[in-house]
Amino acid sequence: EGPTTLTNDAQEYGAIFNIGNDSLSQKIAINYVVEDISVIGNEAFINPTESKELTLGYYLSKDLDLFHVDFGIRHDQISRNGSVSHDEHEEDHDEHEAELEYFDRDINTTSYALTLSRDINESLEVSLGLSSLERAPSAVELLINGPHLATGRFEVGNFNLKTERANNIDLSFKYSNDGFYGGLTFFQNDVDNYIYLMDETEDDHADHGDEDDHDGLTLANYLQQDAEFKGYELEIGKTFDLARGALSLSFARDSVSGEFTDGHNLPRMTPERNLYKFNYVEDGLTFTLILKDVSAQNDTAENETATGGFQMLNFNLSKTIETSLGSELVLSVFGKNLLDEAARNHSSFVKDEVPMSGRNLGVRVSYSF
């Protein structure tokens, strides 16, 4: 059996027209993309597909008396066509032949976003973002039908998937004063027809028995259901000016939860994370030390396993040397997962089989001229 070849041949054409003036920023954008995807070989999971997308967009930005406003709207005309292979067993010849079912679909989506921001004083800025974003299902979500080894699943698409519509709101605060900085954002996203990949349950597998083991892989179907995401992002830090350089210390935390409207958890949700960062810069020398503290994830979807928490410690030390000819030499020493944690990424499809990389030390040299 020969190798499986994946190709993506795309042509993209676009233009942006600036029609603003000194008091009002305005732009019109037009973009056209033609994309051909082909997977050929024994492990092919999707037949050749073609997608065409025409995008028209408008953006404006203006300072008003009370706040600054940014507004954008875009309309997409999308066509996707391809086929799905269905295996037909020929009793007379004791072999399988693939029967092709062809699909051709046109989709129109419209999205818009509005942001209102205001400087409360010289140090504090607050902004409110409102958006309604529509996303067409991808060619893979519509037409995949085969073993996808990157996810360790036999994935089955659904050509009847509707477009997603996400209604979002976020409230942000930014502060900066005398070397101290901070940011806090709260967000909530209500998504109609949220598209996700769901593994079959043991009961589902028992219904069809061992007559089709899906090449020994877990069967997963693309489904959709209304969902809600909510969470926050926080970052605070302080920069100290030293005699020979600058030292920055920061702390960041992010948290997001996701549920279907029926109360069940979404699959593969990222757990809460804390990020501690130490950064020192001095005349071409940079040293960065980052500790990522990831919580356990026990809010799991049906038929999904939990993952434990872990701490990931990384560092990078680099020196940039400028030459007389304008060239640049960068020498770096780096280390990843210095604690050699047995960590698993909860958002990974193969987290149970493949843990994250262990301790990794290296040297990197780059020269640009």
Side-chain angles (χ1 to χ4, degrees), residues 83 128 149 288 329 334:
S83 63
L128 174 67
L149 299 188
T288 303
L329 176 67
F334 65 88

PDB file of all heavy atoms in Angstrom, residues 83 128 149 288 329 334:
ATOM      1  N   SER A  83     -18.177  14.824  -3.109  1.00  0.00           N
ATOM      2  CA  SER A  83     -18.909  13.557  -3.099  1.00  0.00           C
ATOM      3  C   SER A  83     -18.552  12.769  -1.855  1.00  0.00           C
ATOM      4  O   SER A  83     -17.544  13.030  -1.197  1.00  0.00           O
ATOM      5  CB  SER A  83     -18.584  12.733  -4.349  1.00  0.00           C
ATOM      6  OG  SER A  83     -17.199  12.377  -4.373  1.00  0.00           O
ATOM      7  N   LEU A 128     -16.856  47.828  25.203  1.00  0.00           N
ATOM      8  CA  LEU A 128     -17.954  46.872  25.119  1.00  0.00           C
ATOM      9  C   LEU A 128     -18.056  46.392  23.678  1.00  0.00           C
ATOM     10  O   LEU A 128     -18.161  47.203  22.753  1.00  0.00           O
ATOM     11  CB  LEU A 128     -19.269  47.531  25.549  1.00  0.00           C
ATOM     12  CG  LEU A 128     -20.538  46.689  25.377  1.00  0.00           C
ATOM     13  CD1 LEU A 128     -20.514  45.486  26.318  1.00  0.00           C
ATOM     14  CD2 LEU A 128     -21.788  47.545  25.624  1.00  0.00           C
ATOM     15  N   LEU A 149      -6.692   9.521  10.836  1.00  0.00           N
ATOM     16  CA  LEU A 149      -5.744   9.019  11.822  1.00  0.00           C
ATOM     17  C   LEU A 149      -5.204  10.116  12.727  1.00  0.00           C
ATOM     18  O   LEU A 149      -4.749   9.841  13.832  1.00  0.00           O
ATOM     19  CB  LEU A 149      -4.591   8.304  11.101  1.00  0.00           C
ATOM     20  CG  LEU A 149      -5.001   7.094  10.253  1.00  0.00           C
ATOM     21  CD1 LEU A 149      -3.774   6.357   9.758  1.00  0.00           C
ATOM     22  CD2 LEU A 149      -5.898   6.149  11.056  1.00  0.00           C
ATOM     23  N   THR A 288      13.437  34.635  29.305  1.00  0.00           N
ATOM     24  CA  THR A 288      12.021  34.465  29.633  1.00  0.00           C
ATOM     25  C   THR A 288      11.819  33.131  30.334  1.00  0.00           C
ATOM     26  O   THR A 288      12.298  32.087  29.866  1.00  0.00           O
ATOM     27  CB  THR A 288      11.146  34.503  28.361  1.00  0.00           C
ATOM     28  OG1 THR A 288      11.365  35.733  27.671  1.00  0.00           O
ATOM     29  CG2 THR A 288       9.673  34.385  28.715  1.00  0.00           C
ATOM     30  N   LEU A 329      22.674  37.947  13.938  1.00  0.00           N
ATOM     31  CA  LEU A 329      22.901  36.593  14.434  1.00  0.00           C
ATOM     32  C   LEU A 329      22.186  36.435  15.765  1.00  0.00           C
ATOM     33  O   LEU A 329      22.367  37.244  16.676  1.00  0.00           O
ATOM     34  CB  LEU A 329      24.399  36.324  14.613  1.00  0.00           C
ATOM     35  CG  LEU A 329      24.788  34.976  15.221  1.00  0.00           C
ATOM     36  CD1 LEU A 329      24.420  33.841  14.264  1.00  0.00           C
ATOM     37  CD2 LEU A 329      26.269  34.941  15.554  1.00  0.00           C
ATOM     38  N   PHE A 334      16.986  26.965  24.860  1.00  0.00           N
ATOM     39  CA  PHE A 334      15.616  26.865  25.331  1.00  0.00           C
ATOM     40  C   PHE A 334      15.382  25.537  26.048  1.00  0.00           C
ATOM     41  O   PHE A 334      16.116  24.557  25.846  1.00  0.00           O
ATOM     42  CB  PHE A 334      14.624  26.989  24.156  1.00  0.00           C
ATOM     43  CG  PHE A 334      14.703  25.876  23.147  1.00  0.00           C
ATOM     44  CD1 PHE A 334      13.962  24.704  23.306  1.00  0.00           C
ATOM     45  CD2 PHE A 334      15.516  25.993  22.035  1.00  0.00           C
ATOM     46  CE1 PHE A 334      14.037  23.681  22.390  1.00  0.00           C
ATOM     47  CE2 PHE A 334      15.594  24.975  21.102  1.00  0.00           C
ATOM     48  CZ  PHE A 334      14.855  23.815  21.274  1.00  0.00           C
TER      49      PHE A 334
END
